[in-house]
Amino acid sequence: MKKILVTRKLLKACEEKALKIFDVKLNDNDELYSQSKIIEMSQGYDGILTSLTDKMDAKTIDKLPDSIKILSNFAVGFGNIDLEAAKKKNIVVTNTPDVLTDATAEIGVLLILGACRRAAEGIESAREGGWKWSADYLIGKQLTGARLGILGMGRIGQKIAKVAKSLGMIIHYHNRSKLSKEKENGAIYHDNLKSLLSVSDVLSICCPASKETVDMINKDTIEYLPKGAIVTNVARGDIVEDEALIDALNRRKVYAVGLDVYKNEPNLNPGYLKHKSAFILPHLGSATKETRTAMGNLAIDNIDEFFKTGNCKNIVN
Ligand code: NAP
């Protein structure tokens, strides 16, 4: 039996599955292991089931024992793992695509709705009581007819586009490569970021965090947005330069934000908290029972497939 270290607590059904297949070390108290603790605990193990809270940078990976052959990440994103460092050490990295697309797209749509329709202010007023209905009370931005710019029209972006289209939004997108007509489903392609941002009444960030996309939404690129645009991010906090976005909110260049992800989670930039219009969630993208179960099972299957066949369909490095 292969020896597998699981760094975070999984849902019960997934842990039971892992116990049947591997000699597994679970994290019953869901302790957040430090990098040095992961290195220490992985001695004598064959693989690690990591989560996005584990910063597997080059220094950490270099110090892992040679027995470690796979890092199976419990996420579709893998910005927490240095893929090159893993490759150099002959460690395979896998992710959990597809199974979390629908749940994450739901949160992506919620961010758009919440930011456009002033849900954060509305919830606060409803809880406080004493609000007075009037014709101009908490007026928001209507989605019907608004242009939605999707930065990163992959699995999650396409699902958000489908729902947004049914709400009457006009879909634009930017990827490095243009999609097939079928996948575009009527969306308008922009071959560069400036062009996409200039038509984005509402922006939905759905691309992965990578060397290319870090701080892609910054002091300069924010200026390409129409005045009063809405910025939502369901992908990764690293893509946004927080100070620039908060400054744009302060001077009303940006009307509202809808955010699920942040730099330095869970310590989000306090500048966002000062804005009543900020509709903010604590990284809930894939957080449904069905999806977290499917992700855990896939992360386990990835390890099993790799040790049985020497390969795995979800290798990303
Ligand atoms: P995906 O299917 O791989 O889609 C990513 C899209 O981004 C692709 O269309 C890709 O197109 C585009 N892209 C990549 N690099 C780009 C660049 N430099 N400039 C412009 N576009 C770029 O991934 P997915 O499954 O939709 O997931 C997307 C991201 O969502 C994940 O990486 C993860 O970080 C995040 N996520 C967040 C949550 C959450 O809990 N909030 C949950 C799941 C996923 P090209 O390759 O043609 O450029």
Side-chain angles (χ1 to χ4, degrees), residues 40-61:
E40 186 193 314
M41 290 182 78
S42 60
Q43 302 300 319
Y45 279 76
D46 300 296
I48 311 178
L49 196 154
T50 52
S51 286
L52 53 88
T53 49
D54 304 315
K55 301 288 167 239
M56 303 303 285
D57 55 17
K59 258 188 178 169
T60 308
I61 288 174

Side-chain angles (χ1 to χ4, degrees), residues 114 117-132 137-138 272-280:
R117 298 304 303 273
R118 302 178 65 174
E121 291 162 272
I123 290 167
E124 200 180 314
S125 297
R127 283 184 183 279
E128 275 174 5
W131 46 273
K132 190 167 147 242
Y137 177 61
L138 281 187
Y272 289 121
L273 304 177
K274 291 187 191 137
H275 281 278
K276 285 189 168 186
S277 64
F279 181 72
I280 52 176

Side-chain angles (χ1 to χ4, degrees), residues 234-308:
V234 74
R236 285 290 181 265
D238 285 334
I239 300 160
V240 174
E241 200 179 82
D242 291 324
E243 291 74 17
L245 185 53
I246 291 162
D247 175 61
L249 274 167
N250 290 342
R251 56 194 170 81
R252 301 194 172 235
K253 166 77 182 172
V254 166
Y255 174 82
V257 294
L259 307 172
D260 187 43
V261 287
Y262 311 87
K263 275 199 173 77
N264 306 318
E265 289 177 17
N267 304 311
L268 64 158
N269 190 311
Y272 289 121
L273 304 177
K274 291 187 191 137
H275 281 278
K276 285 189 168 186
S277 64
F279 181 72
I280 52 176
L281 298 176
H283 203 144
L284 294 183
S286 62
T288 67
K289 189 175 177 193
E290 298 85 338
T291 293
R292 289 281 162 84
T293 305
M295 288 167 68
N297 287 341
L298 184 53
I300 292 163
D301 289 342
N302 285 340
I303 301 173
D304 198 30
E305 184 187 346
F306 173 71
F307 283 120
K308 275 186 180 146

Side-chain angles (χ1 to χ4, degrees), residues 76 104 153-156 175-177 206 212 234 260 283 285:
V76 67
T104 309
M153 183 85 139
R155 290 168 289 236
I156 295 167
N175 273 354
R176 290 163 302 181
S177 31
C206 302
E212 274 178 41
V234 74
D260 187 43
H283 203 144

Side-chain angles (χ1 to χ4, degrees), residues 203-218:
L203 178 69
S204 174
I205 303 170
C206 302
C207 62
S210 68
K211 280 180 191 135
E212 274 178 41
T213 63
V214 165
D215 286 340
M216 208 173 204
I217 302 304
N218 57 42

